[in-house]
Amino acid sequence: MTLTCRAAVLHQSGTPLSVERVSLAPPMPTDVVVKVRAAGLCHTDLEVIDGSLRYPLPMILGHEAAGIVEEIGSAVRDISVGDHVILSWNPHCGHCFHCDRAQPILCETYLARGAEGVHFDGASKAQLADGRKLTQLMFLGAFSEYVVLPAQQAIVVPNDIPFDRACLIGCGVMTGVGAALNVAAIGHGDTVMVTGCGAVGLAAVQGARLAGAGAVIAVDLDDAKLALARQLGATHVVNAAREDPVQFAKQATGGRGADVILEAAGHPNAFRQTAEAVRPGGEVIWLGKIDVTQDVSFRWGALMGEKRFRRSSYGGARPRRDFPFLAQAYLDGRLKLDELITGRCSLDSINDGFEALRRGRSIRTVVEL
């Protein structure tokens, strides 16, 4: 039976989302149907709205979400109706060139289908009321009352974690905390600099703390975000509008520079500063992003000294391992998520939430469905 529900649809870049009724395809044997209870507004969604990230339209946006399983396909064995789940936007085949090399973020099917905005099996799972095909962002299209998705994308977590906190784990928190715990080689007592204190950067601050960093230097242009970074574990804060982060990193480390830098600002200046502020032999993890056609220049000498530079899109995520761990870390009080939520909205007011994000007035706004 075809399922109809309300969803936020982008018809044209540069225009507001339209909340309207859509139809979802019945689940295949390996699919589940999830009632979405909460979804975070992420910069990636905003990039699609503004046109700097290009996908086939019309599209249902949303990729950071949590909800309840309402139906399972006949072949699904490890998920039950009623389970609370966090949705993962990185399905993978498990047997292509990159999957065989433990790089699921580069799965060949994932990359091909994701660019098309269709489901992992190549099919569209949604359509408009007039019958036109809808694409779905990052295999989810989670700004919708319901989603139909492969069971591998629905990760069961403890029922105790509230949906509005759980949804943050699906993208921003996984990316930031995972960069510190899974991707970077942070040693006990290391000096870690985090550039950019949005949702991902604040998660990275916490990841650095959990990894055993001795000093965590948070860098941003907003004093309020820096104050929040202190609450979440930063030992030093630098407002880059008033103080040079490169000089601060060197002064704080006897002239060497930071051992590890986690960049989450997504700006050419921030990328350049990481190369200057990291010590010889240190490591830089780039989490932020800009338009894929934009060039970034570096002083060649800043890249010398056996420095290591790495791009990470999802914090080295292994969702079945990492999502339950992060959910439990929240429940145990070791990971703070409440502080990341700076606004809530309904599906009908989702455009107001994105406007606040565009203007830098929010860390994470959560759509409650």
Side-chain angles (χ1 to χ4, degrees):
M1 181 180 296
T2 300
L3 174 66
T4 64
C5 64
R6 298 170 73 240
V9 178
L10 180 67
H11 287 272
Q12 182 178 345
S13 298
T15 64
L17 297 178
S18 171
V19 178
E20 52 195 273
R21 295 204 72 81
V22 303
S23 299
L24 302 180
M28 299 296 287
T30 56
D31 288 345
V32 298
V33 179
V34 174
K35 167 65 176 123
V36 178
R37 295 294 303 276
L41 306 191
C42 177
H43 274 94
T44 299
D45 301 296
L46 187 59
E47 289 167 7
V48 182
I49 294 171
D50 290 344
S52 62
L53 191 58
R54 302 160 187 87
Y55 283 100
L57 303 176
M59 169 176 272
I60 304 174
L61 300 190
H63 64 283
E64 182 182 87
I68 301 175
V69 176
E70 292 219 345
E71 184 179 347
I72 63 173
S74 59
V76 175
R77 296 290 179 266
D78 55 351
I79 298 176
S80 301
V81 171
D83 281 344
H84 290 201
V85 293
I86 298 173
L87 307 186
S88 169
W89 50 261
N90 180 214
H92 53 281
C93 71
H95 53 73
C96 69
F97 176 90
H98 292 289
C99 284
D100 279 345
R101 286 155 180 79
Q103 297 174 313
I105 195 69
L106 299 175
C107 170
E108 293 169 2
T109 303
Y110 164 82
L111 292 176
R113 299 303 191 203
E116 298 167 357
V118 294
H119 231 268
F120 201 64
D121 60 8
S124 172
K125 299 287 184 178
Q127 62 182 28
L128 292 165
D130 62 10
R132 284 183 294 154
K133 184 183 84 170
L134 272 168
T135 55
Q136 291 166 284
L137 180 63
M138 300 171 80
F139 305 97
L140 292 177
F143 295 150
S144 176
E145 292 172 330
Y146 292 89
V147 293
V148 178
L149 70 162
Q152 68 157 299
Q153 290 181 256
I155 312 302
V156 179
V157 294
N159 287 4
D160 293 345
I161 182 169
F163 292 110
D164 59 347
R165 280 71 143 190
C167 73
L168 306 181
I169 292 172
C171 183
V173 170
M174 181 70 251
T175 300
V177 175
L181 297 182
N182 299 334
V183 182
I186 298 175
H188 182 75
D190 277 356
T191 296
V192 177
M193 174 176 277
V194 177
T195 302
C197 292
V200 172
L202 292 170
V205 166
Q206 297 194 70
R209 172 175 51 80
L210 291 171
V216 180
I217 305 168
V219 180
D220 202 275
L221 301 172
D222 186 322
D223 286 332
K225 291 179 180 178
L226 291 172
L228 182 53
R230 276 200 183 275
Q231 292 181 39
L232 299 180
T235 57
H236 305 77
V237 296
V238 178
N239 187 316
R242 300 192 296 266
E243 191 170 6
D244 182 358
V246 176
Q247 291 303 314
F248 187 95
K250 292 184 176 180
Q251 290 169 4
T253 56
R256 294 185 303 276
D259 298 297
V260 176
I261 299 182
L262 305 172
E263 184 283 327
H267 192 279
N269 287 341
F271 294 131
R272 285 191 289 267
Q273 285 177 345
T274 61
E276 301 285 351
V278 69
R279 68 167 173 81
E283 181 179 32
V284 175
I285 310 296
W286 287 319
L287 305 175
K289 56 185 184 294
I290 55 176
D291 191 299
V292 294
T293 64
Q294 186 172 352
D295 290 336
V296 179
S297 61
F298 296 90
R299 183 178 66 85
W300 182 247
L303 307 180
M304 298 293 97
E306 306 304 310
K307 298 175 182 179
R308 292 161 289 154
F309 298 87
R310 185 172 177 182
R311 165 68 188 167
S312 175
S313 299
Y314 204 12
R318 298 295 188 273
R320 291 192 181 279
R321 173 198 67 189
D322 294 331
F323 287 8
F325 165 77
L326 293 173
Q328 192 61 52
Y330 168 79
L331 293 172
D332 293 343
R334 294 180 291 120
L335 178 65
K336 297 182 179 181
L337 300 179
D338 301 25
E339 293 82 356
L340 300 180
I341 300 173
T342 51
R344 291 180 171 82
C345 67
S346 67
L347 197 59
D348 289 315
S349 59
I350 192 170
N351 290 305
D352 294 334
F354 274 117
E355 186 57 29
L357 182 62
R358 183 181 287 112
R359 294 178 179 274
R361 295 201 301 259
S362 68
I363 302 296
R364 261 307 186 262
T365 296
V366 174
V367 180
E368 297 179 314
L369 294 97

